[in-house]
Amino acid sequence: MTNLKLELTNVSKAFGPKVVLDGFSMKVEKGKSMVIIGGSGTGKSVTLKCIQGLLVPESGSIKVDGEEVVGMKEKDLERVNSKAGMLFQGAALFDSMKVWENIAFGLIQGRKMNKNQAKEIAYDKLKKVGLTSDVGEMYPADLSGGMKKRVGLARAIATSPELIFFDEPTTGLDPIMADVINDLIVSCVKDLGATAVTITHDMVSARKIADEITMLYKGKNIWCGDVKDIDNSNNPYVEQFISGKSEGPIKVEI
Amino acid sequence: MNFLSNIGKMTVKFIKNAGELALFAYSVITHLFRPPFFFKNIFTQMIEIGFYSLPVVGLTTLFSGMVMALQTYSGFSRLSAESAIPMVVLIALTRELAPVMAGLMVAGRVGASFAAEIGTMKVTEQIDALSSLSTNPIKYLVVPRIIAATLMLPFLVFIGDVIGIQGGYLIGVHKLGFNSATYIKNTWDVMESFDIVSGLIKAAVFGFIIAMLGCYNGYYSDGGAQGVGKATTNAVVSSSILILIFNYILTELFFMA
Ligand SMILES: Nc1ncnc2c1ncn2[C@@H]1O[C@H](COP(=O)(O)OP(=O)(O)OP(=O)(O)O)[C@@H](O)[C@H]1O
Ligand SMILES: [Mg+2]
C-alpha cells in the first residue's frame, strides 16, 4: 500500500522541435505540499497541464492515486479531474460569468449542487481569499490582476478538492496579501488534508508553504528534497536560484 | 522554387485542417446524444441566434422579394406573362433566396461570434479551465451552439419566406398594378409544401455548417488576438463557401433526382 497521491515518471513533452520536459520525475505523498521552482519557461506550467490531461506527454507515466492518467479515456479523466482543483497562471476566469458564478462553477456543474447552496459556499471562499462580498456580483473584466488571481484561487478550492494545483498563486500580490494566501494554502493542506502542488518564484512563499521542494531545470528534476535542506543543498543550481545571482551554472542568454 | 514550396505547404495545411475538422466533427457528433445536456446553454444560444438575427434576415428577404418582383416583371412583361410573377417570387424565395440569404447573413453574424468567443476562451485558457473543472468543453460550449443553430435557421428561413413573399406582394400590388386578391390567389394556387420544406431542410444544413465551422475555427485558434481574428475571418469565409456548395448539391438532390 503506497501513500503516493501523485507520481510522475520520466515524463517527456516537446512542442515541435522544442523539448520542454525531458524525463521529468516527481513523487508527492498524500497530504503533503510540494513546491516546484525553476526558471521562467522551463516547463512548470506545462507539467501541471500534463497532470490534468490538458496536454499529452510523448512518453512517461503520470499516476494520480495509482491510476495512469496518460492515454486515459475522456470519461475517466473527468472523474480524476473532479478530485482536483487548479489555479491557472493567468487565472482563466470565465468572463461571461459573474465572480460568484465562476467560483461556484465546479460545485454546480461538477457536483450538481443546488444554486443557493453553491452561492453561499462561493461567498464564503471569496471572504477566505480576502475579497469583500460586493466583488461577487462583478464580472472578471472589472477586477485588477491580483483580484483575478484570488478569484481563481477561490474557484480552485471551492469544491474542497483532494489535490490542488497552484500556478504562481502569489505573483502580482502585495506582500501582506501574499502572506494571507500562503496561510490559506497551508490551511488547505493542514486542515483539509489536501495534497498541494504549487509553482512559485517567490522563495519566501516557498519556504512557508512547502514540505518538499523540486527544482526543474532543462526538463529534468535536478534537485528534490525537504524544505529545511534547501539552504544546504550543495547543488550549485539551487544555490544560484535561491540567491538570485546572475553568475553561476544557470546561464541566461541575452 | 519558392512558388512550389508554397503550393506544398498549402496542400499540407489543407489536408491537416480537413483531418482536424473531421475529428472535431466526429467528437461533436458523439457528444450530441450523450448526457449531460446543458439545456440552459442551448436555450441562450437559441435566443441569440433565432431572435437577434430576425432583423437582418427580415430585411434581406424583404428586399430580395421586392427585387424579384421587379426583375421578373421587367422580363416577363415582354412575353405578357405577368401572371407568373407571384409564382416566380414564391419559388425563388422559398427554394433559394431565403435559405441562402439567411445562411450567409447568419454566417457573418453568428458564425463570426462563435469563432471569436470560443477562440478568446481558448487563448485565455478558459477552455482548459472548463476541463479542469471536469466539464467537457465540447459538450458545454460546442454542442449547444450546434443544436441551437441547426434548429433556429429553419425558423428564421420560415419567417424570411413570409416576409419576402410579402415584399413581392407589396411591389406587385402598389407598383406594378396587380389586383391584391389576384396576387394572393396566384401565390396560393401554385404553392407546394415541398417548396417550403426543401428550403427549411437546406436551412438546417446551413445552420449546422455555420455552427460547426465557427466553433471549429475558434477551438483550434492560437496566437492571441491575431489568431482569434484570423479564426473569425476563416469561419465566415469557409462557411459561406460551404453554404453555396451545399446549396447546389441539395438543389440537385431535391429537384433533379
Ligand atoms: N501550447 C504550447 N505550444 C507551444 N509551446 C508551448 C506551449 N505551451 C508552452 N510552450 C513552451 O513550453 C515552454 C515552457 O512553458 P511553461 O509555460 O511551462 O513555462 P513555465 O515554467 O511555467 O514558465 P513561467 O515561470 O514563466 O510561467 C515555453 O518555452 C513555452 O514556449
Ligand atoms: Mg508558468
Side-chain angles (χ1 to χ4, degrees), chain A residues 49 52 54 74-75 78-79 81-82 84-86 88-97 101-102 105-106 109-110 112 115 155, chain B residues 27 30-31 34-38 40-41 117 120-121 124-141:
Chain A
K49 285 186 188 168
Q52 290 251 294
L54 303 171
E74 240 174 38
K75 200 86 211 144
E78 257 173 52
R79 176 175 50 76
N81 278 352
S82 73
M86 167 131 166
F88 285 82
Q89 189 167 3
L93 301 178
F94 304 126
D95 41 30
S96 59
M97 293 177 207
E101 290 171 317
N102 262 284
F105 191 89
Q109 300 300 348
K112 309 281 170 238
K115 214 168 160 176
R155 184 175 69 182
Chain B
S27 129
T30 55
H31 279 293
R34 264 189 288 148
F37 302 107
F38 294 97
K40 192 171 154 240
N41 293 15
E117 251 176 281
T120 306
M121 291 187 75
T124 56
E125 297 183 320
Q126 291 177 51
I127 302 232
D128 286 345
L130 275 177
S131 307
S132 104
L133 290 162
S134 50
T135 301
N136 187 308
I138 300 261
K139 210 160 231 160
Y140 187 79
L141 293 173

Side-chain angles (χ1 to χ4, degrees), chain B:
Chain B
M1 257 4 242
N2 221 335
F3 174 68
L4 281 182
S5 92
N6 274 342
I7 292 182
K9 253 185 226 155
M10 273 163 62
T11 315
V12 170
K13 191 158 173 249
F14 177 78
I15 294 172
K16 176 174 164 276
N17 286 353
E20 230 172 39
L21 177 60
L23 286 176
F24 183 75
Y26 173 76
S27 129
V28 170
I29 288 166
T30 55
H31 279 293
L32 217 46
F33 304 104
R34 264 189 288 148
F37 302 107
F38 294 97
F39 292 109
K40 192 171 154 240
N41 293 15
I42 299 177
F43 184 73
T44 319
Q45 291 302 330
M46 281 173 81
I47 299 290
E48 182 58 41
I49 301 165
F51 185 71
Y52 289 105
S53 300
L54 276 174
V56 253
V57 171
L59 273 174
T60 42
T61 47
L62 176 70
F63 280 98
S64 303
M66 285 163 61
V67 88
M68 268 319 283
L70 272 188
Q71 281 289 14
T72 29
Y73 180 81
S74 81
F76 280 29
S77 59
R78 293 182 209 158
L79 311 167
S80 315
E82 291 93 342
S83 62
I85 291 174
M87 181 189 80
V88 175
V89 171
L90 173 83
I91 291 187
L93 259 174
T94 54
R95 290 186 183 182
E96 294 293 331
L97 286 175
V100 171
M101 286 288 176
L104 293 179
M105 292 323 266
V106 174
R109 213 188 80 83
V110 173
S113 88
F114 284 1
E117 251 176 281
I118 294 182
T120 306
M121 291 187 75
K122 165 83 185 201
V123 300
T124 56
E125 297 183 320
Q126 291 177 51
I127 302 232
D128 286 345
L130 275 177
S131 307
S132 104
L133 290 162
S134 50
T135 301
N136 187 308
I138 300 261
K139 210 160 231 160
Y140 187 79
L141 293 173
V142 179
V143 167
R145 285 172 166 79
I146 304 266
I147 294 178
T150 312
L151 291 179
M152 289 324 274
L153 252 242
F155 161 79
L156 282 168
V157 166
F158 186 77
I159 305 281
D161 286 348
V162 174
I163 294 178
I165 291 170
Q166 179 74 21
Y169 166 87
L170 285 176
I171 293 297
V173 171
H174 294 289
K175 200 170 163 77
L176 308 176
F178 269 85
N179 175 287
S180 162
T182 321
Y183 192 101
I184 293 173
K185 186 174 182 307
N186 282 0
T187 304
W188 273 120
D189 283 353
V190 295
M191 187 183 302
E192 280 180 33
S193 57
F194 191 63
D195 292 334
I196 314 274
V197 170
S198 70
L200 299 186
I201 296 174
K202 279 182 176 179
V205 174
F206 298 165
F208 183 82
I209 290 174
I210 292 167
M212 189 60 93
L213 284 162
C215 294
Y216 161 76
N217 280 291
Y219 208 84
Y220 285 92
S221 66
D222 50 22
Q226 204 184 9
V228 175
K230 217 185 268 167
T232 310
T233 312
N234 281 345
V236 176
V237 172
S238 56
S239 58
S240 301
I241 293 173
L242 273 187
I243 283 175
L244 294 173
I245 294 176
F246 270 82
N247 183 48
Y248 179 82
I249 296 176
L250 289 175
T251 303
E252 180 144 338
L253 240 132
F254 289 153
F255 301 104
M256 292 294 146

